[in-house]
Amino acid sequence: METSNTYALPVGVTLDRYIMRRQSDFPFASGELSQLLRDIALAGKIINKEINRAGLIDVTGDYGSSNVQGESQQKLDVIANIRFIRALKNGGECCAIISEEDEEIIYTGNDQAKYVVAMDPLDGSSNIDVNVSIGTIFAIYRRVTPVGSRATLDDFMQGGRKQVAAGYILYGSSTMLVYTTGHGVSGFTYDHSLGEFFLSHTDMRSPVKGSIYSCNEGNYTDYPAGVQAYIERCKERRYSARYIGSLVADFHRNLLKGGIYFYPPTPKAPKGKLRLLYECYPLAMIAEQAGCRASDGYQDILDIEPAGLHQRSPIYIGAKDMVDEMINRL
Ligand SMILES: O=P(O)(O)OC[C@H]1O[C@](O)(COP(=O)(O)O)[C@@H](O)[C@@H]1O
Ligand SMILES: [Mg+2]
Ligand SMILES: [Mg+2]
């Protein structure tokens, strides 16, 4: 990973201070977006604590209900969802939320707020109970409806290039928050003993070339012929196959080391599995800011016209040369 930055703030600066120092990056900078990012970090700290103690407190296993995707919800999916909604409500800077775990728009009651949030409160649900890295993914938009009014679908249907900030929290061997406001990508590592996120990765740039490919090869036979051909090429080149099964964790590793993650369409999931508004768009914004590429196979993810809150999209994301080659084979 390369680092170069005219705004070089020393590694070790706290997230709060970093956000304040970089506030001038934000259009309309008046502190609300800074506060919203801090509210998201706070919810992340709370969830991190619950994840670390998951086996000791009764938060593992099924919650006994399904979400709008028809997936069974894990207890931590629901708990993470509640924690984020509460932090965004109490923070006062977010007027509405869409979440993987809720079918409809969630209104926070903060109609005076200028921002809306799209989120995947807990990504990698199949890994929750087996102590494998999981994450949270978020995207922030400045509302298009008048301040003071109730947010509407329009506020969420603005398109990927209208995200004013996007990021993820990775609950792994260390806990990290990585985000962008369109001015480069920064990573912060959580120090449990101090309860603070500290700048650890400045101006993250990803290698253009990579040698890691990440996909669920169990679906190989269902993949389009071009994808199968690309996987065969990776094997011929002795690239490493790495698949954690948590999008955030696979994306993060490939961002640092150089690699490609893909979840193509299959007969079972003709639109792919991952959700455009709170998985694909936010990671695509980070990817492009770090010099990577994100595509659905035919257009850049950030150029896809949104049509529904929980719409899915195929995704090929990672090192630019690898994604280019994959797409040329489709
Ligand atoms: O089990 P599969 O089909 O390989 O899918 C794994 C993918 O699904 C996801 O778990 C979907 O996200 P959620 O866990 O938030 O539903 C991704 O994190 C992961 O990359
Ligand atoms: Mg997810
Ligand atoms: Mg999820």
Side-chain angles (χ1 to χ4, degrees):
M1 176 178 70
E2 304 122 25
T3 60
S4 63
N5 185 358
T6 48
Y7 298 89
L9 284 160
V11 162
V13 112
T14 65
L15 174 66
D16 282 11
R17 183 160 294 283
Y18 183 90
I19 290 174
M20 295 315 289
R21 295 256 189 97
R22 297 290 298 265
Q23 192 164 291
S24 57
D25 287 350
F26 308 154
F28 322 98
S30 50
E32 289 105 338
L33 185 55
S34 303
Q35 183 53 49
L36 183 48
L37 285 167
R38 282 199 291 271
D39 297 334
I40 289 172
L42 172 64
K45 293 177 186 177
I46 297 167
I47 293 162
N48 182 62
K49 205 160 139 217
E50 264 142 0
I51 290 169
N52 287 342
R53 297 182 312 137
L56 301 174
I57 54 177
D58 181 24
V59 292
T60 55
D62 259 20
Y63 185 70
S65 59
S66 302
N67 62 20
V68 59
Q69 343 270 337
E71 294 158 349
S72 67
Q73 291 177 306
Q74 302 298 302
K75 283 183 189 160
L76 266 172
D77 280 324
V78 176
I79 291 168
N81 196 38
I82 293 167
R83 296 279 181 261
F84 267 99
I85 293 169
R86 189 179 294 160
L88 294 173
K89 269 190 178 154
N90 297 343
E93 305 300 350
C94 169
C95 59
I97 305 164
I98 63 158
S99 164
E100 178 193 0
E101 303 308 330
D102 289 276
E103 182 154 5
E104 306 300 337
I105 294 175
I106 303 149
Y107 293 96
T108 62
N110 307 320
D111 288 349
Q112 288 309 320
K114 297 178 182 143
Y115 297 98
V116 297
V117 171
M119 67 179 188
D120 177 356
L122 229 159
D123 176 67
S125 307
S126 62
N127 283 324
I128 291 174
D129 293 352
V130 290
N131 205 356
V132 171
S133 300
I134 49 183
T136 290
I137 312 173
F138 64 89
I140 301 175
Y141 298 87
R142 193 175 169 83
R143 65 185 302 175
V144 290
T145 49
V147 169
S149 71
R150 209 165 143 82
T152 68
L153 195 57
D154 296 348
D155 294 309
F156 293 97
M157 295 291 118
Q158 300 183 48
R161 300 218 179 267
K162 284 288 179 4
Q163 297 173 107
V164 292
Y168 58 84
I169 303 171
L170 174 60
Y171 312 102
S173 45
S174 71
T175 297
M176 278 193 72
L177 187 153
V178 174
Y179 82 96
T180 183
T181 56
H183 303 270
V185 181
S186 307
F188 301 79
T189 300
Y190 187 54
D191 182 325
H192 296 252
S193 61
L194 298 173
E196 283 280 2
F197 281 102
F198 289 94
L199 183 64
S200 53
H201 298 66
T202 55
D203 197 31
M204 298 165 80
R205 301 288 301 171
S206 192
V208 173
K209 292 187 185 319
S211 58
I212 295 170
Y213 67 101
S214 309
C215 68
N216 183 340
E217 267 194 78
N219 298 334
Y220 179 90
T221 37
D222 293 333
Y223 285 158
V227 175
Q228 293 180 357
Y230 182 79
I231 293 173
E232 293 315 317
R233 276 310 273 131
C234 289
K235 290 180 178 169
E236 283 159 22
R237 294 174 184 147
R238 300 292 183 277
Y239 285 176
S240 301
R242 293 279 183 276
Y243 190 66
I244 296 168
S246 295
L247 169 64
V248 168
D250 281 311
F251 175 80
H252 185 75
R253 182 217 30 259
N254 293 351
L255 186 72
L256 297 184
K257 296 217 166 183
I260 183 173
Y261 168 102
F262 44 97
Y263 209 107
T266 60
K268 199 175 107 206
K271 282 261 174 233
K273 176 180 183 179
L274 300 173
R275 284 52 59 121
L276 184 64
L277 266 66
Y278 41 80
E279 290 174 318
C280 302
Y281 273 165
L283 295 187
M285 185 179 183
I286 292 175
E288 289 199 2
Q289 285 288 314
C292 292
R293 184 167 184 196
S295 171
D296 69 353
Y298 301 96
Q299 62 180 319
D300 286 345
I301 292 283
L302 293 178
D303 296 326
I304 298 174
E305 205 48 48
L309 293 179
H310 302 285
Q311 80 185 80
R312 298 174 191 262
S313 172
I315 187 166
Y316 306 88
I317 187 167
K320 203 174 169 318
D321 285 10
M322 298 178 90
V323 176
D324 289 351
E325 183 187 345
M326 167 69 90
I327 292 169
N328 292 338
R329 287 176 183 280
L330 294 179

